[in-house]
Every structure is written in C-alpha cells, then in structure tokens.
C-alpha cells in the first residue's frame, strides 16, 4: 500500500524553526516528484515547495523563499522541509504529495500529484 506520512509539525513561536518530514512506504520515492503544500483555515490549499526526483530542481513559493528549504534523502525514502524564521501566517496544515515521473529533471507545484499524506499541523504563535 502506497503511503506518505508527514511528521514534525507543532507549536512554535514566531521566528522559530521546524523541520517537517515526509516518509514514504510501499513505494520508492526516488522516482517521484515531491511537493509540499499547506492549507490554512478558510483558505485554499497552496503550493509551498517541490523537488525533482534527483533533487537537482527545487522551487519555492514567493512567501517562503529564503526561509524554507526542501531536501530529500532517497536512501531513507524521506523528503524534508526545513522551515526557518516562521511567521504567524505560516500557520496551516502541511501536506506532502508525490507524483511518479522518474525521467523528469524539473518539479512543479502546479502538476497533478497522485499520492497525498494526511498532513501535519504547524502553528506559529506567541
């Protein structure tokens, strides 16, 4: 069974940091584009970041550029989202998603993603 599990969310003060993990089971993440998305209450889901299968191409939403870093460890079948300088507006449920495309050199947050995790809550508040 293909499954993505996010972890690492929690409550953090403004200016703090968190690292989210997205662990895959039942399939090899090496062949997948991975995206991170978030949805705040009352708002539409938005793309945060994505990474190509090789890890060479990475993209970020303008709102998180310079603060968030996406990375992947294919040996551990896990993708990470390091979040720094967190702001209250970063509060949301964060989801990772995977789309199989082993030959692509690029990623996009606009493509369709076949597999989604259940999400992890990130709350930035003093």
């Amino acid at each position: 069974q293909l499954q993505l599990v996010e972890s690492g969310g929690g409550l953090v003060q403004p200016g703090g940091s968190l690292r989210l993990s997205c662990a895959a089971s039942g399939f090899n993440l090496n062949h997948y584009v991975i995206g991170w998305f978030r949805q705040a209450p009352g708002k539409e889901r938005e793309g945060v970041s994505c990474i190509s299968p090789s890890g060479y191409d990475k993209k970020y939403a303008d709102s998180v550029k310079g603060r968030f870093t996406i990375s992947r460890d294919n040996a551990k079948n896990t993708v990470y989202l390091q979040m720094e300088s967190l702001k209250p507006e970063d509060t949301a449920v964060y989801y990772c998603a995977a789309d199989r495309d082993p030959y692509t050199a690029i990623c996009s947050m606009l493509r369709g993603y076949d597999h989604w995790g259940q999400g992890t809550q990130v709350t930035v508040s003093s």
Side-chain angles (χ1 to χ4, degrees), residues 19-72:
R19 187 177 80 157
L20 305 184
S21 298
C22 172
S25 61
F27 64 107
N28 191 337
L29 271 184
N30 291 13
H31 303 148
Y32 287 76
V33 175
I34 304 298
W36 280 99
F37 298 82
R38 66 186 181 186
Q39 188 166 20
K43 294 187 177 181
E44 292 188 354
R45 187 176 64 200
E46 64 173 343
V48 175
S49 182
C50 65
I51 187 167
S52 62
S54 69
Y56 181 78
D57 187 44
K58 303 174 184 179
K59 293 185 174 68
Y60 300 92
D62 288 343
S63 58
V64 307
K65 274 181 186 175
R67 300 188 297 120
F68 290 11
T69 303
I70 192 170
S71 62
R72 65 192 302 155

Side-chain angles (χ1 to χ4, degrees), residues 27-120:
F27 64 107
N28 191 337
L29 271 184
N30 291 13
H31 303 148
Y32 287 76
V33 175
I34 304 298
W36 280 99
F37 298 82
R38 66 186 181 186
Q39 188 166 20
K43 294 187 177 181
E44 292 188 354
R45 187 176 64 200
E46 64 173 343
V48 175
S49 182
C50 65
I51 187 167
S52 62
S54 69
Y56 181 78
D57 187 44
K58 303 174 184 179
K59 293 185 174 68
Y60 300 92
D62 288 343
S63 58
V64 307
K65 274 181 186 175
R67 300 188 297 120
F68 290 11
T69 303
I70 192 170
S71 62
R72 65 192 302 155
D73 186 337
N74 287 342
K76 293 184 178 180
N77 225 24
T78 301
V79 174
Y80 304 97
L81 186 69
Q82 180 69 40
M83 306 187 295
E84 308 282 351
S85 303
L86 283 161
K87 304 175 182 180
E89 51 264 44
D90 294 319
T91 295
V93 178
Y94 283 71
Y95 301 89
C96 65
D99 187 42
R100 181 177 171 86
D101 196 351
Y103 302 112
T104 186
I106 63 172
C107 74
S108 171
M109 290 174 272
L110 299 178
R111 64 187 295 153
Y113 285 81
D114 291 333
H115 309 287
W116 290 81
Q118 293 299 307
T120 184

Side-chain angles (χ1 to χ4, degrees), residues 2-19:
L2 306 182
Q3 192 174 16
L4 291 170
V5 178
E6 302 95 338
S7 62
L11 173 64
V12 63
Q13 292 186 342
S17 302
L18 284 174
R19 187 177 80 157

